[in-house]
Amino acid sequence: MATATNYIGQPTSRVDGTAKVTGAAKYAAEYNVPDLTYGYVVSSEIAKGKITKLDTREALAIPGVLQIFTHENRPNLAWFDSSYKDDIAPPGSPFRPLYDAEVKYSGQPIALVVAEEFEVARYAASLVRVEYAPKPHETDLNEKREEAYEPPKKRSGIPPPAKPRGDAERAFDNAAVQHEAEYRHAIEHHNPMEMHASTVVWEGNGKITVYDKTQGAQNSQGYVAGIFGFKQDDVRVISSYIGGAFGSGLRPQYQLFLAVLAARELKRSVRVTLTRQQMFTFGYRPDTIQRLALGATADGTLEAFMHDALANTSQFEDFQEDDVNWSGLLYKCANTKFTYKLAQLDLYTPIDMRAPGGATGMYAIEAAMDELAYKTGVDPIELRLKNYSEKDQNKDKPYSSKELRECYRQAAEKFGWSKRTSEPRSMRDGKELVGWGMATGIWEAFQQKASAKATLGLDGKLEVGSATTDIGTGTYTIMTQIAAETLGIPIDDVTFKLGDSTLPTSPVEGGSWTASSIGSAVKVVCDAVGEKLFKIAQEMDGYSFADVDYKDVAFSQGKLRLKRDASHAVPIVDVMRYGKINAIEEEATSSPNYLKQNGYSSYAHSAVFVEVKVDEELGMIRVTRAVNAVAGGRILNPKTARSQVLGGVVWGISMALHEETYTDHNLGRFMNHNLAEYHVPVNADIHDIEVIFVEEHDEIVNPIGAKGLGEIGIVGTAAAVANAVYHATGKRVRDLPITIDKLL
Ligand code: MOS
């Protein structure tokens, strides 16, 4: 029954849209407070070595400069004590700026200049004289292949390679058709529009308020409290709006540390904003070399699947991704072997970037499957269906739902795949070669423990809150929809609050788990309010709620109703008046139901089809069409959901054709650290993208049945583009991005 308060599944426009387009939405660097001071970071110019001299005299002499913090004068903090245990997400030991004179990577923050004006701080920073004793560095993964190691400690949440099955080497050797190749992609840096920034407000009473660009206000809060010795409640972190993050804000970043350090020492409010160039100094998608070896029968039945990944990390952390486990989820194969190794380079530690491991691993897997399709002469979709996996072979578990077959079918039909001629270089459009390629996408459907609170007032207005973040994905909107529908309250009367560490506990926004995790908490807390209303209504004369259970009633259009007779209804405000209450306030937590979920594997799936047109003479590639069919469980909001998948596809195209951080290995430095030289796609690069949501019902995955869509759109897309380029040109480029020089 459709009612005016049926919101879940509706294409609701962003509830924060007006605030964003009018400029009312404030970002971390936009909070102006009285007597604000400004910090500017000085970055190291060498990749490795020691600072032998740090002369700040000239800089300090500039009027308006308040202080310059370096390793020589920084305060002693718990953090600098070797026994200090970091307790942050994602787990690890983040680099400690200003610890000592050692330089461990190019761009390392080595000083913070604080001044009364931003321009003064920036100018003074240019006057800080630094001398170094450089040491030899290594930033080239190729040079470290021999020193690769299996990461000793499993970074929590990152599964190790699945155990081998059968005898993969032998099965490969005996296979009628073999494909073995090495795939690689460039280092990519997150380039959200909003650069990382923290505004620390010195409250003067031992407390600070921090406006921070982060994917987890409470993560930043815990980090600041821990290392600076604040009481948890004395640090409030606010991150109401985030201008994109893509994983770069999962960890508290160094501008937060430096801003709090300066504020605490100067007892003043301090803002530190990173420059676009400094956005290239803390984490990236790691350089990864992947070897795939696939053995199959002549008709394309997989007999051996081997996947070895080697990725770079820093000298001080073992950053890990799940690159190699995806084939065990997608394809049936009795003989498998997976390895995952790291090599330490003199670069900063990588950090999660949209679908970490998935975008990487599935690029190589799906490009290799395409090569196998040509070698066996089996159509790429047919090959995938032939080897379709009905269960998660890595864990030997069934799927809670898997509508991947429908993804292939619907996307192929929409795309017009049946009109494809399989021979490379066989399709043309005038002067251009036409290529059609496809690939599969997969991403885990996580749920994390999360809490929310709800307050329903006598005016019929509902406020719900949780300390989660909206990095631009639509969290504000979908949470408002869930709350409005659960309690049958007009959406305009519902406000959702987030991005404030004082709100109920929430994990960092990441892993595509926010819709499922915080969504479930919102549902549970609204039901708690609903049950309270119901209990009161049961005592009201003239209504027959006394004889039924909570599951027999529903809320819509501001009324509590009997499900079997919706006309039997009482206004919510009447119930509250009868109970003589002015407000109902509840707080609740939703945790994964392991009892229910543990028997299953839960993943979102997709099939992505791409058309490229290649100018044969110039080697220029255009992605003219893309169709991505996604099975992601329940779609809470088709409008914001589509935007998530669109964004993912755009980035997949970008990964295939544009993005590449160049490292000058002589200098050990990223050279194209600006938006002029680091290529991201612009409107002219992006053409027709169609998103299909395949119907998928999943009662097991979590209470709201949504699998999350933030990451699935990128997974597989780069492979689909690379496969289409091969189909168009007959040339297989295995290291991304596929630039003109590699193609010609
Ligand atoms: Mo995402 S890379 O987990 O922010």
Side-chain angles (χ1 to χ4, degrees), residues 88 449 504 652:
I88 52 147
K449 182 178 170 181

Side-chain angles (χ1 to χ4, degrees), residues 215 246-248 250 352-356 471 509-512 711:
Q215 288 171 244
F246 313 109
S248 66
L250 285 171
D352 291 332
M353 176 184 282
R354 203 172 199 169
I471 55 176
E509 171 152 58
S512 298
E711 289 162 301

Side-chain angles (χ1 to χ4, degrees), residues 495-552:
T495 309
F496 186 73
K497 298 222 147 137
L498 53 68
D500 184 335
S501 60
T502 61
L503 289 166
T505 311
S506 161
V508 291
E509 171 152 58
S512 298
W513 60 55
T514 301
S516 68
S517 310
I518 290 63
S520 295
V522 167
K523 172 94 175 69
V524 168
V525 79
C526 289
D527 272 326
V529 172
E531 284 189 53
K532 212 160 226 185
L533 286 166
F534 173 66
K535 285 225 172 70
I536 301 166
Q538 284 188 307
E539 289 162 16
M540 291 173 79
D541 291 333
Y543 296 97
S544 47
F545 294 111
D547 317 326
V548 300
D549 293 326
Y550 183 65
K551 66 171 170 40
D552 302 316

